[in-house]
Amino acid sequence: MTDPVTLTRTGNIGLICIDNPPVNALSFAVRRGLVSCITQADADSKIDAVVIWADGRTFPAGADITEFDRPPIEPALVDVCDHIEGCSKPVIAALHGTVLGGGFEVALGSHFRIAAPGTRFGFPEVLIGILPAAGGSQRMPRITGAGPALDLMIKGSPINLEKVVALGLVDRVSLGDLKEDALNYAAEILVDKIPIRRVSERSDGFADQAAYTAAIEATRSKMLAANSPLFAPMRILECIEAAAEMPYPEGRILEYEKIRACVEHPQHAALVHAFFAERKSVKFPEAGRAKPRNLAKIGVIGGGTMGAGITVAALDAGLEVIMVERDAQSIARGKENVAKVYQRHVDKGRITAEKMDAVMARYTPATGYELLGDVDLVIEAVFEEMSVKKTVFTALDKVLKPGAVMASNTSFLDINEIASVTSRPDDVIGLHFFSPANIMRLLEIVIPDKVSDETVATGLALAKMMRKTPVRSGVCDGFIGNRMIAKYGDVASHLVEEGASPYQVDAAVREFGYPIGPFQMSDLAGGDIGWAVRKRHAKTRDPKARYVPIADRLCENGWFGQKTGRGYYIYENGSRVGTQDPEVLAIIDAERARAGITPRSFTNAEIVDRYLAAMINEGADIVHEGIASCPSDVDVIKVYGYAFPRFRGGPMKYADMIGLDKVLATIHKMAEQDPMFWVASPLLVDLVAKGKNFDSLNKG
Ligand code: 3H9
């Protein structure tokens, strides 16, 4: 294996080059190489200054996350950064790409920093439940003070070069070839005899001590008020607070103690799982077998909330869009739905009016299919009814050019049946967006029986253009996400029928980490949506299956949730925050009495156990049936589309963490009460029998 870090010499400047694709992560060999090259350069009398440069697309994007679950190997990254800083000759970091986490810390360990335009900087450690622990939490505030460091490290989102320069974190912007400019900068430092500036010895960031303390206290109060369940952010704050209170050598010890606590916390493992799950989900087998077709112009059928959201996502991706509605009035509304998204951007100063005009110039409204003859792909987002979908696909089949991809945004219906009305089922695919489609990152790509690899690869290419997180799903009622929600939604209603109030169920689910509970969600989405689905299923529902009619009673009263001012909660004067409704509780009482149920009390833990056991069991069945390719895909769907708390990794990861035997025990216990509803998934039973977990199915 070749060394990923090398030292060469250009004149009297040593050039350390890191070459560890894809993102130059600071794995063991890179750390060892950096230490060794700095030592060599320091000892080499022909070298007077050193440039650290990285080949490929980026300066190191951080520590190597794949190493986190292995025993640590020396040298630790913090020692590498200190070693760089300790070099007796000027060290210049030449930065490009995404300078993140440990990469940023290597840069701050260097004495000078030069960066190429477009470089992004950040400390995303918090997103994997840890903190910058290679001296970053101690060095950055020494330059910037507390505010910017708190902001960057607690949010975890990257910032651009302009901001970094303004904060004093980068000394020079390269306007030509970065490597050459860095070498010239090093030469200049030598000629001008600019003294070495070690960040760990600086204190300019602490000059305004009052401002420093105020920033810490303001952030602490905000965090305590928000009552966030996340573990790492408060540890980050403690590190930044300590930076001003102790010399660097002590600060880095504290930083080490804090990261140890983070690493041992279950949130870290869950968040690392979420990180890799997201990257795994995009790897569809079809993409390896076929190339995507060209995508420049697409059609969207329907201008409602979904159609307009998809249109905005497509326009944002740089595509031309033809939106089709059935008549002049509907298309006018569709156009308005699209325009108002951009108008809001203009009003908030995010884009100029000219930019909005330029984007809208790529949008064409239409009331017929005639203009769709040359589009590369069509997404149908019409009413969720099989006959309506079939009419649309029959019409599209007549006008689309050969090779145009025909996608349905259905969230429940059988795409094989939709494809069957066309002469080209190989071009038909499901692209299930989540509302608001221009914001939600999840895209379920549903794979019907006859779809071609090329069509799937094109769907994936669209997801990439739209910056979506795509997950592969087989065809079944509700696909992965909605099929699961149907199951645990039933459990929520069972719990209410048995004695919990909807408000307690919501509170228990929020306590687990969801932003809102299932009944708040129903009020937000509109109770009529679930009602329509239940009516559709009524004909095929087994009369012996448990059915809780409480939601129907509310809908019969016209209480559909926020949009009608009343659902499970009351929403006074258009408020989006509901208050509890005694009349709802009375309806629930009446329904319990009708069902002959004597209500009992539940603990929040009992509610969550049952709710999640149903979710996990359905997820296991979905994997068992091959609808999901692996358990981590189920996790991605739930985290990105259904607000499952990311810090718990997803339902399948959560199950692994609490123990599958515990989940199975809950299911068996519930089956004693309702054996028809609670059937343990064969996959879950099998894994428990073999002492394995869901993660064992994620490999490969
Ligand atoms: C840290 O630094 C801790 C320190 O403070 C101190 C500790 C003591 N490690 O996302 P992509 C892989 S914590 C290992 O598809 P993009 C990724 O899995 C770290 N692997 O590309 C994928 O592999 P594959 C702080 C990594 O262009 C491939 O690279 N840093 C790492 O859309 C391409 O990734 C972070 O948290 C890594 N650090 O986005 C940065 N990063 O092809 C995390 C990526 O086999 N990374 N890979 O699936 C990112 O945010 C994005 O990957 C990045 C590129 C923006 C860099």
Side-chain angles (χ1 to χ4, degrees):
M1 229 175 90
T2 53
D3 223 324
V5 187
T6 49
L7 172 67
T8 52
R9 190 166 55 80
T10 308
N12 61 342
I13 316 287
L15 180 70
I16 294 178
C17 179
I18 304 170
D19 182 13
N20 186 30
V23 297
N24 285 316
L26 293 151
S27 50
F28 160 67
V30 176
R31 298 196 303 274
R32 186 186 54 185
L34 276 171
V35 169
S36 146
C37 290
I38 287 284
T39 306
Q40 279 177 57
D42 217 2
D44 189 336
S45 59
K46 295 198 192 74
I47 291 179
D48 295 323
V50 184
V51 168
I52 304 181
W53 154 266
D55 247 347
R57 63 203 238 203
T58 183
F59 196 76
D64 187 340
I65 302 173
T66 59
E67 285 183 354
F68 283 179
D69 59 354
R70 298 180 219 151
I73 321 176
E74 303 271 306
L77 190 55
V78 65
D79 295 328
V80 177
C81 294
D82 286 356
H83 190 67
I84 293 170
E85 194 179 57
C87 183
S88 65
K89 299 168 183 176
V91 180
I92 297 97
L95 311 167
H96 74 291
T98 40
V99 181
L100 301 176
F104 203 174
E105 293 178 297
V106 167
L108 290 173
S110 306
H111 307 135
F112 301 91
R113 288 158 289 280
I114 176 169
T119 308
R120 311 269 298 158
F121 297 80
F123 284 114
E125 284 87 344
V126 69
L127 304 179
I128 49 170
I130 56 170
L131 50 87
S137 76
Q138 303 303 294
R139 285 197 176 93
M140 181 175 167
R142 284 182 151 75
I143 302 178
T144 64
L150 289 163
D151 208 41
L152 206 58
M153 294 179 198
I154 289 176
K155 281 199 196 124
S157 10
I159 54 174
N160 61 26
L161 178 60
E162 289 68 31
K163 286 197 184 132
V164 170
V165 170
L167 288 170
L169 293 162
V170 158
D171 308 291
R172 183 169 288 199
V173 174
S174 156
L175 295 173
D177 177 76
L178 175 64
K179 196 195 287 181
E180 214 168 285
D181 284 353
L183 292 168
N184 288 336
Y185 185 28
E188 211 179 296
I189 288 165
L190 293 173
V191 169
D192 294 346
K193 297 192 169 49
I194 299 178
I196 284 175
R197 283 181 295 188
R198 295 190 170 87
V199 178
S200 71
E201 291 167 2
R202 285 173 65 167
S203 59
D204 31 324
F206 308 144
D208 188 346
Q209 188 58 56
Y212 200 99
T213 311
I216 295 279
E217 286 317 323
T219 306
R220 195 194 317 269
S221 313
K222 221 157 93 192
M223 279 161 66
L224 290 174
N227 198 20
S228 162
L230 296 179
F231 182 74
M234 197 53 95
R235 309 294 85 72
I236 291 173
L237 180 136
E238 287 158 2
C239 286
I240 296 172
E241 185 176 31
E245 290 168 356
M246 48 184 79
Y248 174 77
E250 284 173 37
R252 64 161 267 187
I253 292 171
L254 180 118
E255 185 190 71
Y256 177 76
E257 285 163 5
K258 300 287 175 197
I259 196 179
R260 285 312 317 154
C262 289
V263 167
E264 279 157 23
H265 197 283
Q267 286 182 4
H268 169 58
L271 287 165
V272 168
H273 169 81
F275 177 87
F276 286 114
E278 188 191 341
R279 278 151 186 87
K280 182 173 165 59
S281 77
V282 305
K283 295 186 175 112
F284 286 35
E286 291 85 354
R289 299 194 294 257
K291 294 234 168 319
R293 293 178 194 152
N294 185 48
L295 279 176
K297 190 172 183 182
I298 74 162
V300 175
I301 316 296
T305 309
M306 215 57 211
I310 294 169
T311 299
V312 172
L315 291 171
D316 286 348
L319 294 161
E320 262 185 79
V321 183
I322 297 173
M323 177 192 272
V324 181
E325 260 292 1
R326 56 177 177 274
D327 53 38
Q329 203 186 353
S330 310
I331 195 63
R333 207 168 36 238
K335 183 173 181 181
E336 198 186 307
N337 286 340
V338 173
K340 73 181 178 208
V341 173
Y342 291 106
Q343 190 56 51
R344 205 174 307 127
H345 289 335
V346 173
D347 295 345
K348 297 212 159 176
R350 292 192 207 116
I351 60 169
T352 60
E354 291 73 41
K355 169 84 182 164
M356 171 169 168
D357 291 345
V359 173
M360 288 303 285
R362 286 187 274 111
Y363 166 84
T364 309
T367 50
Y369 290 175
E370 304 78 27
L371 295 181
L372 296 176
D374 66 344
V375 298
D376 304 307
L377 178 146
V378 168
I379 304 169
E380 158 283 305
V382 300
F383 188 60
E384 196 70 351
E385 172 70 54
M386 183 56 90
S387 60
V388 181
K389 306 269 188 200
K390 282 184 170 172
T391 307
V392 168
F393 273 75
T394 306
L396 287 173
D397 194 26
K398 295 202 177 88
V399 296
L400 296 184
K401 69 181 180 188
V405 170
M406 303 168 81
S408 172
N409 177 53
T410 179
S411 47
F412 280 97
L413 299 173
D414 182 349
I415 300 181
N416 285 320
E417 195 178 332
I418 296 175
S420 72
V421 301
T422 73
S423 62
R424 35 182 153 172
D426 51 325
D427 290 332
V428 179
I429 192 166
L431 294 179
H432 179 210
F433 289 83
F434 290 73
S435 188
N438 53 314
I439 294 178
M440 293 288 283
R441 283 190 46 203
L442 180 62
L443 179 65
E444 259 181 329
I445 299 193
V446 188
I447 313 288
D449 295 345
K450 294 188 177 157
V451 69
S452 71
D453 289 348
E454 225 177 68
T455 300
V456 177
T458 310
L460 261 179
L462 181 72
K464 192 166 180 196
M465 289 172 87
M466 291 181 167
R467 295 165 184 262
K468 300 284 179 207
T469 297
V471 183
R472 194 178 189 284
S473 171
V475 177
C476 67
D477 194 7
F479 317 123
I480 299 174
N482 283 341
R483 174 170 155 181
M484 287 172 77
I485 210 172
K487 208 73 185 180
Y488 57 84
D490 278 350
V491 168
S493 67
H494 296 171
L495 285 159
V496 168
E497 193 179 48
E498 287 170 40
S501 79
Y503 314 118
Q504 189 196 356
V505 173
D506 280 348
V509 168
R510 283 199 308 271
E511 210 172 88
F512 178 75
Y514 274 89
I516 56 176
F519 296 104
Q520 289 171 295
M521 188 64 208
S522 164
D523 276 4
L524 180 67
D528 49 332
I529 296 176
W531 197 26
V533 174
R534 290 194 298 278
K535 284 186 201 159
R536 183 156 59 79
H537 285 167
K539 290 180 222 97
T540 49
R541 190 180 301 121
D542 188 328
K544 291 199 286 297
R546 179 171 180 184
Y547 185 76
V548 180
I550 294 168
D552 295 348
R553 297 291 96 83
L554 267 53
C555 289
E556 284 155 14
N557 287 345
W559 299 351
F560 295 151
Q562 290 194 17
K563 62 183 168 192
T564 57
R566 198 163 183 179
Y568 287 95
Y569 295 78
I570 296 173
Y571 302 89
E572 304 254 34
N573 307 321
S575 165
R576 293 166 68 90
V577 182
T579 52
Q580 301 191 7
D581 185 347
E583 281 188 59
V584 167
L585 295 176
I587 291 173
I588 294 169
D589 273 339
E591 288 305 322
R592 283 174 188 150
R594 195 202 303 262
I597 291 173
T598 311
R600 71 163 178 101
S601 64
F602 285 88
T603 63
N604 284 5
E606 234 177 317
I607 290 172
V608 165
D609 279 355
R610 214 201 270 193
Y611 191 71
L612 284 165
M615 192 185 303
I616 294 159
N617 196 47
E618 194 64 11
D621 266 344
I622 282 170
V623 174
H624 182 63
E625 292 166 26
I627 299 293
S629 311
C630 57
S632 69
D633 276 4
V634 175
D635 288 335
V636 175
I637 296 238
K638 286 288 129 182
V639 168
Y640 287 99
Y642 297 82
F644 189 97
R646 188 183 160 86
F647 68 84
R648 295 196 189 270
M652 314 313 270
K653 177 68 182 174
Y654 176 73
D656 278 354
M657 291 178 87
I658 61 169
L660 298 193
D661 52 343
K662 188 163 176 254
V663 179
L664 188 59
T666 304
I667 294 165
H668 282 155
K669 190 168 141 234
M670 291 311 304
E672 288 168 15
Q673 188 182 321
D674 182 357
M676 197 162 168
F677 184 88
W678 291 95
V679 179
S681 166
L683 176 63
L684 184 60
V685 173
D686 184 54
L687 288 172
V688 171
K690 290 180 177 148
K692 289 187 167 176
N693 61 13
F694 287 126
D695 201 36
S696 63
L697 306 173
N698 288 328
K699 317 286 179 218

